[in-house]
Amino acid sequence: MPAQQKKLIFCTAGVLSFACALGTAAAIGTQLWVRGTILCTTGALLVNATGPELHKFIGEIQYGLFSGQRVRQCGLGGRPFQFSFFPDLLKIIPASIHVSVILFCTVLIVFALVGAGFFMFNAFGSPYETLHGPMGLYLWSFIACSCGCLILILFSSEVKIHHLSEKIANFKEGTFTFKTHSEQFANSFWTILVCSLVHFLNALLIRFAGFEFPFSKPKDSGTITGAVDLMY
């Protein structure tokens, strides 16, 4: 492949990696990871609410990795409540999983920036072999993509398996009991998914530029073996 096309491919991959680093950093600070509604089951059972009356007992909840807010509805109008995970909710959430998600987000940002720098270095500089050359580009892209996948898996398990929304909704609630009515992942969660796909795409761009995947077998290995067999 001509050098100008390789430069264009590496520049594109570098810009995409840098954009992913910025997107992940922005996603960490937002409250747009999960959105949902919560049902005040205690209040609904007291008045035997059904149909349209049930909406008076359905509040809202949204949260990110550090903080969030909920609006509780128990028949007397919405009452907003702000909360933070550190240190308020540490006793009721799976703290090890939650901290791991934040840690992998940080690693994703670091390696996305490292990958962006080396992509630009390969485009305009004279790269060394090993970690500065194609092998390094594959490595940085693989680590960033793996971190993104781990973030998605860990956070999904925290929300769905450990029922994070219900634990948050029932935080400091002695009388009323809340249950998740609806729940969906929001923009920041999907941003991490897009970043993971982008880093996978970067690995394909490196291959498209003419560099073999690491640990791939030489194409002529079978021919050499056959020639040796014929000698005997």
Side-chain angles (χ1 to χ4, degrees):
M1 178 176 288
Q4 292 296 329
Q5 292 185 17
K6 288 184 179 180
K7 281 187 176 182
L8 179 61
I9 289 174
F10 284 143
C11 285
T12 302
V15 171
L16 290 175
S17 293
F18 185 73
C20 285
L22 293 181
T24 304
I28 290 177
T30 67
Q31 298 180 3
L32 300 177
W33 284 73
V34 174
R35 281 179 174 171
T37 57
I38 50 177
L39 172 65
C40 180
T41 55
T42 305
L45 288 173
L46 285 174
V47 299
N48 196 21
T50 57
E53 297 176 349
L54 200 61
H55 289 286
K56 297 179 180 180
F57 299 91
I58 296 178
E60 299 177 353
I61 186 172
Q62 70 173 32
Y63 54 90
L65 298 182
F66 293 97
S67 62
Q69 60 181 350
R70 74 185 188 198
V71 179
R72 62 195 299 273
Q73 292 269 12
C74 293
L76 299 174
R79 297 187 179 183
F81 175 75
Q82 298 283 340
F83 59 87
S84 61
F85 284 92
F86 304 99
D88 297 341
L89 301 176
L90 279 181
K91 294 182 179 180
I92 65 170
I93 66 171
S96 58
I97 297 178
H98 199 78
V99 172
S100 297
V101 171
I102 297 173
L103 177 62
F104 282 118
C105 283
T106 305
V107 175
L108 174 58
I109 294 172
V110 171
F111 279 98
L113 291 174
V114 169
F118 281 113
F119 273 117
M120 292 301 180
F121 186 74
N122 277 265
F124 299 105
S126 300
Y128 300 104
E129 291 300 325
T130 65
L131 297 183
H132 283 209
M135 180 71 76
L137 297 180
Y138 280 121
L139 179 63
W140 314 136
S141 299
F142 173 76
I143 292 176
C145 183
S146 300
C147 287
C149 293
L150 286 173
I151 292 167
L152 298 174
I153 294 171
L154 290 174
F155 190 74
S156 298
S157 67
E158 185 181 8
V159 173
K160 299 298 183 180
I161 298 177
H162 294 275
H163 306 289
L164 184 61
S165 298
E166 284 190 10
K167 291 181 178 179
I168 294 173
N170 290 285
F171 177 62
K172 290 185 177 180
E173 290 290 344
T175 305
F176 295 97
T177 302
F178 293 87
K179 184 178 180 180
T180 303
H181 186 260
S182 67
E183 188 178 57
Q184 61 273 344
F185 295 108
N187 298 343
S188 295
F189 180 87
W190 301 119
T191 298
I192 301 297
L193 175 61
V194 171
C195 288
S196 301
L197 295 177
V198 165
H199 289 298
F200 180 76
L201 174 63
N202 282 350
L204 296 181
L205 288 177
I206 301 168
R207 179 65 186 88
F208 184 72
F211 298 104
E212 296 289 339
F213 289 118
F215 311 113
S216 59
K217 295 181 179 180
K219 294 181 180 179
D220 56 348
S221 59
T223 306
I224 296 173
T225 304
V228 173
D229 292 340
L230 289 174
M231 291 177 64
Y232 294 96

